[in-house]
Amino acid sequence: ETGVTQTPRHLVMGMTNKKSLKCEQHLGHNAMYWYKQSAKKPLELMFVYNFKEQTENNSVPSRFSPECPNSSHLFLHLHTLQPEDSALYLCASSPGTGGTGELFFGEGSRLTVL
Amino acid sequence: GQQVMQIPQYQHVQEGEDFTTYCNSSTTLSNIQWYKQRPGGHPVFLIQLVKSGEVKKQKRLTFQFGEAKKNSSLHITATQTTDVGTYFCADSGGSNYKLTFGKGTLLTVNP
């Protein structure tokens, strides 16, 4: 139990599908993140939300659309993805302002795009 | 942007041997965080280093931050099979919200 829960854990989708990844944190944190982890690449920051406001969009293609309805929930909506988007998508949270900035990661959603 | 280089990319050791991974940058690092990711798992925070020359220990793990704050290292003494995984360093770049991760060092341990 990490305190950050991601669903689904595995997802296979075609390039024309629309799907969503969900993340929920039970730690009372104010900041939430989406990271992409591909083989042989560093963890790539995609989006940051602080107090439900998007503070970072790291030049992510518009086929990835984040949503943060409150400080505990974060979604990543997926639409017309490409095979190169196949990766492990990690959600993380942190306390926000102050603190060490330590990230608490969820177990990830393994996405395969056919 | 800030780049954090980690070496080696892979390290295979016999159980009981020591292991070190290095994190380097051409520019001054703000704060260094270290994470461990077990195979099939997710990154887990180990420690944060803030001060120049700082050294912190966690049992068999020793973390160092260089005097010029341009490098950091993680040293494991007498590795065990439970140490298997990928070790990442990350620089905060002065922000609590934008960690830049190295590519990681994959450690495998032969029992």
Side-chain angles (χ1 to χ4, degrees):
Chain A
E1 178 59 50
T2 67
V4 180
T5 305
Q6 288 188 244
T7 55
R9 296 290 311 279
H10 300 273
L11 178 63
V12 179
M13 59 187 289
M15 289 191 286
T16 58
N17 291 160
K18 284 185 181 180
K19 297 285 184 183
S20 296
L21 306 180
K22 179 184 175 182
C23 177
E24 182 175 0
Q25 58 99 359
H26 316 276
L27 301 168
H29 289 165
N30 297 315
M32 295 188 77
Y33 310 74
W34 281 115
Y35 277 87
K36 177 183 178 182
Q37 188 172 39
S38 307
K40 300 183 180 179
K41 283 187 175 181
L43 277 159
E44 299 173 67
L45 177 64
M46 299 176 72
F47 301 103
V48 181
Y49 279 82
N50 187 35
F51 290 97
K52 302 186 301 176
E53 299 298 321
Q54 189 180 115
T55 58
E56 190 78 31
N57 176 339
N58 211 22
S59 303
V60 180
S62 59
R63 58 185 183 269
F64 295 91
S65 174
E67 179 189 359
C68 188
N70 54 61
S71 293
S72 299
H73 293 86
L74 185 64
F75 295 88
L76 188 62
H77 303 300
L78 315 170
H79 178 50
T80 59
L81 295 191
Q82 305 298 311
E84 60 264 30
D85 296 322
S86 299
L88 181 67
Y89 288 85
L90 289 159
C91 174
S93 71
S94 71
T97 53
T100 63
E102 167 190 350
L103 294 179
F104 293 76
F105 284 91
E107 295 183 347
S109 294
R110 173 72 61 186
L111 173 67
T112 302
V113 181
L114 301 177
Chain B
Q2 173 76 290
Q3 281 201 342
V4 176
M5 309 303 293
Q6 236 183 303
I7 54 171
Q9 200 171 348
Y10 307 98
Q11 183 77 58
H12 179 73
V13 300
Q14 288 292 128
E15 190 170 22
E17 291 182 340
D18 292 357
F19 159 77
T20 304
T21 173
Y22 301 90
C23 185
N24 301 305
S25 174
S26 58
T27 58
T28 303
L29 300 164
S30 299
N31 303 321
I32 278 287
Q33 297 186 7
W34 284 93
Y35 290 79
K36 176 185 178 182
Q37 185 173 18
R38 293 183 189 273
H42 58 279
V44 175
F45 175 81
L46 295 176
I47 210 157
Q48 175 165 280
L49 304 172
V50 176
K51 299 176 183 174
S52 165
E54 190 169 13
V55 178
K56 288 188 177 180
K57 292 193 174 187
Q58 290 179 351
K59 296 184 181 179
R60 294 178 294 103
L61 276 61
T62 302
F63 304 84
Q64 290 191 322
F65 205 178
E67 292 289 345
K69 296 186 79 174
K70 289 189 174 183
N71 56 74
S72 180
S73 65
L74 159 58
H75 179 81
I76 302 178
T77 304
T79 54
Q80 299 175 0
T81 54
T82 53
D83 295 324
V84 165
T86 302
Y87 292 84
F88 295 96
C89 64
D91 175 49
S92 71
S95 161
N96 267 357
Y97 306 113
K98 196 172 181 179
L99 285 179
T100 300
F101 281 83
K103 286 188 176 183
T105 297
L106 173 60
L107 171 65
T108 54
V109 179
N110 204 28

